[in-house]
Amino acid sequence: MVQELTLEQKAMAKRIMIPLDYPNAEQASVLINKLEGIPCYMKVGMQLFYAAGPEFIKDLKRRGYSVFVDLKMHDIPNTVKGGAESLTQLGADMFNVHASGGSAMMAAARTGAAAAVSINPSLSMPLIIAVTQLTSTSQEVMNSEIGISGNVTDTVVRYAKLAAEAGLDGVVASPQESAAIAAACGPAFCTVTPGIRPAGSSVDDQSRVMTPGQAIRQGSHYLVIGRPITGAEDPYQAALNIIEEMTQA
């Protein structure tokens, strides 16, 4: 039986992003049906987008969901501009680019999105966010393999400032960096934070994690929560438990 959420619970649910990491639309739809009644964001990444295509985004929009298209664009500015225009035409509520692509590339993403809206005023301008450092990246990997010196937080904040200067709406970062980003870029600058794990959950392939309550207290705007919900025996109840923790934070 679907539980009627309070207004506060609905507000928190809209800050949860569920990654639909499935090989096809049919498997993704099984989870979506189990979460019926929870007005969360749906995050469509590379695996599902490449398999199900743009039509799946349109279907999620028809069902009333906000959609984060997580393709992490990283290319020359003109190519990213075209990609941003296409995703905006699809109705994406949010999409991302890699901050390491530089300020011109990030600004081009905004230009492309604005072009789509100017052609079709019925469209809304999506939130455009930049990936700083993946939450699977440890400091050792960042220093010794990626070749960036210093600590992770300093790198993330530097990328966040660059994204803000390029006119983007926020960044993807670990919840451990949310407070530092807010201090550097202002509290309205969005932080989308993967690496969310309820207490006692496996961290899986994440290196920098927090519980949902901790992330809210640190100032995260959106929480990407995958396996603790998608891998649960009862995804709906798992989501409700997390929403309750968030409302009490």
Side-chain angles (χ1 to χ4, degrees):
M1 181 178 178
V2 174
Q3 175 181 324
E4 181 64 29
L5 274 61
T6 66
L7 290 176
E8 185 180 16
Q9 287 174 324
K10 287 179 180 178
M12 285 298 178
K14 290 176 181 177
R15 296 172 66 178
I16 294 176
M17 295 181 157
I18 306 292
L20 300 175
D21 294 332
Y22 296 96
N24 54 58
E26 291 73 25
Q27 289 187 35
S29 294
V30 171
L31 176 70
I32 294 167
N33 291 336
K34 290 180 179 178
L35 292 171
E36 187 74 35
I38 296 179
C40 52
Y41 244 92
M42 292 296 175
K43 184 174 83 69
V44 178
M46 297 178 191
Q47 182 182 24
L48 184 56
F49 188 83
Y50 295 158
E55 192 58 38
F56 188 77
I57 306 300
K58 295 177 183 178
D59 184 57
L60 286 173
K61 295 297 296 179
R62 284 191 289 266
R63 295 181 68 163
Y65 287 105
S66 294
V67 182
F68 170 21
V69 183
D70 179 18
L71 298 182
K72 300 179 179 71
M73 289 189 286
H74 189 171
D75 212 311
I76 63 171
N78 194 56
T79 297
V80 169
K81 174 177 173 289
E85 186 170 354
S86 294
L87 290 178
T88 304
Q89 289 170 347
L90 273 182
D93 298 278
M94 180 185 292
F95 66 84
N96 55 5
V97 300
H98 265 290
S100 58
S103 56
M105 188 203 77
M106 288 190 280
R110 188 161 191 85
T111 299
V117 174
S118 69
I119 293 169
N120 182 359
S122 68
L123 295 170
S124 296
M125 190 71 178
L127 293 173
I128 307 174
I129 59 174
V131 178
T132 55
Q133 285 294 320
L134 301 176
T135 50
S136 59
T137 301
S138 64
Q139 181 158 320
E140 180 183 357
V141 168
M142 189 186 80
N143 295 157
S144 64
E145 295 184 20
I146 300 175
I148 298 175
S149 60
N151 64 56
V152 172
T153 298
D154 289 345
T155 300
V156 167
V157 169
R158 178 167 55 82
Y159 276 145
K161 288 180 177 179
L162 195 65
E165 291 167 2
L168 269 56
D169 301 289
V171 290
V172 182
S174 156
Q176 294 179 9
E177 290 102 42
S178 292
I181 292 167
C185 302
F189 190 67
C190 277
T191 48
V192 177
T193 55
I196 306 298
R197 292 290 184 269
S201 297
S202 169
V203 299
D204 300 303
D205 55 357
Q206 304 289 343
S207 293
R208 309 191 317 279
V209 301
M210 275 190 181
T211 68
Q214 289 171 332
I216 291 295
R217 288 191 291 272
Q218 286 294 311
S220 295
H221 294 83
Y222 296 98
L223 279 55
V224 180
I225 308 177
R227 282 162 282 196
I229 293 175
T230 62
E233 184 175 338
D234 184 345
Y236 184 90
Q237 187 59 51
L240 282 182
N241 293 343
I242 289 170
I243 290 167
E244 184 61 25
E245 180 182 342
M246 292 167 67
T247 60
Q248 295 177 2

